[in-house]
Amino acid sequence: MSRLAQTHGLTDIQQEIVSTVRDFVDKEIIPVATELEHRDEYPQQIVDGLKELGLFGLMIPEEYGGLGESLLTYALCVEEIARGWMSVSGIINTHFIVAYMLKQHGTQEQKDHFLPKMALGEIRGAFSMSEPALGSDVSAITSKAVKDGDEYVLTGQKMWLTNGGTSSLVAVLVRSDEGHPEGTAPHKSMTTFLVEKEPGFGEVRPGLTIPGKIDKMGYKGVDTTELIMDGLRIPADRVLGGVTGRGFYHMMDGVEVGRVNVAARGCGVAQRAFELGVSYAQQRHTFGKPIAQHQAIQFKLAEMATKVEAAHAMMVNAARKKDSGERNDLEAGMAKYLASEYCKEVVEDAFRIHGGYGFSKEYEIERLYREAPMLLIGEGTAEIQKMIIGRRLLEEYRLQG
Ligand SMILES: Cc1cc2nc3c(=O)[nH]c(=O)nc-3n(C[C@H](O)[C@H](O)[C@H](O)COP(=O)(O)OP(=O)(O)OC[C@H]3O[C@@H](n4cnc5c(N)ncnc54)[C@H](O)[C@@H]3O)c2cc1C
């Protein structure tokens, strides 16, 4: 274990899980991550290893074959995985959000049907809110579901599905006017559909097309796709929770735990950047001494390490708050905001410490430099986090009288 980002008060089981994942990351992920990332290759062997470790069922209750662990344990594992390669944490994250939404909001039949196979990683989840014309403004969703007998017919285009190709279950948020009179607030006329499909690209189910992978600057290896619904027929029993009009709340609940997860990823990437920076600074000499002996570089290291510590503490606090059953939107928003901003800054400092070599694809920091920006956007941008934080603060500190 490193000196930084320690977590106090963990149970023996939590410590064992986290240290097993750390060993796996050191042996199976870090040595191959950069090469696979440069080839934009899906890390099948790593995913198989994570399945064996039970990571896909980490938070799924034991009665459904999972490990029944807390959000904190999950977040600490994500932090370790992102330290090795952020894309791998992305492969788990949408799966985890869909499993969480099922656990919290699914009907008994939906839980019995999906969760045991999700715990084994046999069914893998993706979730889909964003559309080509919107990401932050979820209330503007235009994809639609229209009731037709015992089925719904879905039409519309979705954007930016992490694991869109490799998943076999997508939680899709669409507008569903049925049962909701004209003038109903947008967030009360949205429904989450559980859409089962074949993994892969092209027409993966009648009426459902996954066109192909979006070519990205970083976060490679994991597939990110569009999703096109054209007369896609979904049975009524695949409405999450069995009731229409609750989709917006389902997704916001899912995104809240997702934010802790993105904060954890920021912590992991920042830790790795610090490790690379502090190591390089002791090897590279200028003006007759290692650059780590120049005060300017020591100051950078001090700032980086402080940011790693602060982000970790806020992420752990947000996870613990949720685990205690309390509302954590304020803490999750703050943790996600701070950890993603600090991650970008720590990565940039590690890059600067590497001098020209940081620009070479031979050095790991080049990959981290392209990965960090995604965390500023995913699960809500910095501006959206600040809106959430600001609103909550005004609720908490409302003037009396
Ligand atoms: C690699 C990747 C993977 C993703 N995976 C998924 C996924 O699995 N599922 C999914 O549903 N989505 C996914 N997304 C989409 C992601 O959630 C959105 O990109 C994000 O929410 C921002 O939405 P947008 O891109 O439409 O930006 P916009 O909403 O168009 O925002 C553009 C800019 O305007 C700012 N802005 C917007 N509204 C306001 C406001 N009211 N006040 C001030 N500033 C504002 C934003 O902060 C941003 O800077 C993914 C995105 C990426 C890049």
Side-chain angles (χ1 to χ4, degrees), residues 213-337:
K213 289 198 318 187
I214 297 169
D215 200 9
K216 300 166 300 205
M217 77 185 256
Y219 200 40
K220 289 174 183 275
V222 57
D223 51 296
T224 309
T225 72
E226 295 171 49
L227 175 150
I228 298 163
M229 301 174 288
D230 185 10
L232 170 65
R233 301 189 81 84
I234 303 292
D237 63 6
R238 288 298 169 255
V239 168
L240 180 64
V243 186
T244 59
R246 301 282 307 150
F248 186 81
Y249 299 102
H250 297 151
M251 287 283 172
M252 290 306 121
D253 192 20
V255 163
E256 209 169 281
V257 290
R259 281 184 184 140
V260 175
N261 172 290
V262 173
R265 288 200 230 176
C267 293
V269 173
Q271 273 174 47
R272 185 65 188 156
F274 173 78
E275 287 169 16
L276 296 172
V278 77
S279 163
Y280 187 85
Q282 293 169 82
Q283 296 166 48
R284 180 73 174 173
H285 287 67
T286 67
F287 302 95
K289 54 185 175 184
I291 57 171
Q293 296 305 323
H294 298 300
Q295 194 181 46
I297 299 293
Q298 273 180 29
F299 278 14
K300 264 196 208 312
L301 294 172
E303 285 164 13
M304 290 158 75
T306 306
K307 288 173 183 172
V308 165
E309 280 294 273
H312 178 81
M314 287 193 71
M315 180 274 287
V316 167
N317 180 47
R320 284 197 158 129
K321 191 104 181 166
K322 187 81 177 176
D323 285 334
S324 72
E326 287 178 72
R327 182 175 173 184
N328 85 333
D329 53 348
L330 179 68
E331 291 76 11
M334 284 179 166
K336 194 272 167 179
Y337 168 53

Side-chain angles (χ1 to χ4, degrees), residues 78-289:
V78 166
E79 184 180 36
E80 294 298 343
I81 292 169
R83 182 183 148 265
W85 184 11
M86 193 187 81
S87 296
V88 178
S89 61
I91 291 171
I92 300 175
N93 181 41
T94 62
H95 175 85
F96 151 77
I97 293 180
V98 177
Y100 173 82
M101 284 164 54
L102 270 162
K103 176 175 81 113
Q104 296 297 109
H105 307 289
T107 64
Q108 193 56 51
E109 185 276 328
Q110 289 168 353
K111 290 183 205 184
D112 292 341
H113 181 77
F114 290 112
L115 289 179
K117 287 191 186 131
M118 291 185 87
L120 294 172
E122 285 171 11
I123 290 181
R124 299 254 304 284
F127 91 112
S128 173
M129 288 196 295
S130 305
E131 296 186 356
L134 65 103
S136 309
D137 185 7
V138 177
S139 67
I141 278 178
T142 58
S143 296
K144 268 191 104 154
V146 175
K147 187 125 201 252
D148 183 20
D150 286 341
E151 294 181 323
Y152 287 86
V153 182
L154 276 57
T155 313
Q157 189 174 348
K158 292 293 191 178
M159 185 73 189
W160 296 118
L161 278 84
T162 303
N163 301 309
T166 41
S167 57
S168 43
L169 171 65
V170 188
V172 184
L173 186 66
V174 301
R175 193 170 293 286
S176 55
D177 294 332
E178 172 264 337
H180 307 289
E182 197 134 321
T184 304
H187 59 279
K188 290 189 178 157
S189 57
M190 288 193 198
T191 299
T192 308
F193 283 88
L194 300 167
V195 176
E196 291 165 88
K197 68 172 185 67
E198 287 300 316
F201 300 97
E203 194 172 19
V204 288
R205 171 179 176 157
L208 178 64
T209 302
I210 305 286
K213 289 198 318 187
I214 297 169
D215 200 9
K216 300 166 300 205
M217 77 185 256
Y219 200 40
K220 289 174 183 275
V222 57
D223 51 296
T224 309
T225 72
E226 295 171 49
L227 175 150
I228 298 163
M229 301 174 288
D230 185 10
L232 170 65
R233 301 189 81 84
I234 303 292
D237 63 6
R238 288 298 169 255
V239 168
L240 180 64
V243 186
T244 59
R246 301 282 307 150
F248 186 81
Y249 299 102
H250 297 151
M251 287 283 172
M252 290 306 121
D253 192 20
V255 163
E256 209 169 281
V257 290
R259 281 184 184 140
V260 175
N261 172 290
V262 173
R265 288 200 230 176
C267 293
V269 173
Q271 273 174 47
R272 185 65 188 156
F274 173 78
E275 287 169 16
L276 296 172
V278 77
S279 163
Y280 187 85
Q282 293 169 82
Q283 296 166 48
R284 180 73 174 173
H285 287 67
T286 67
F287 302 95
K289 54 185 175 184

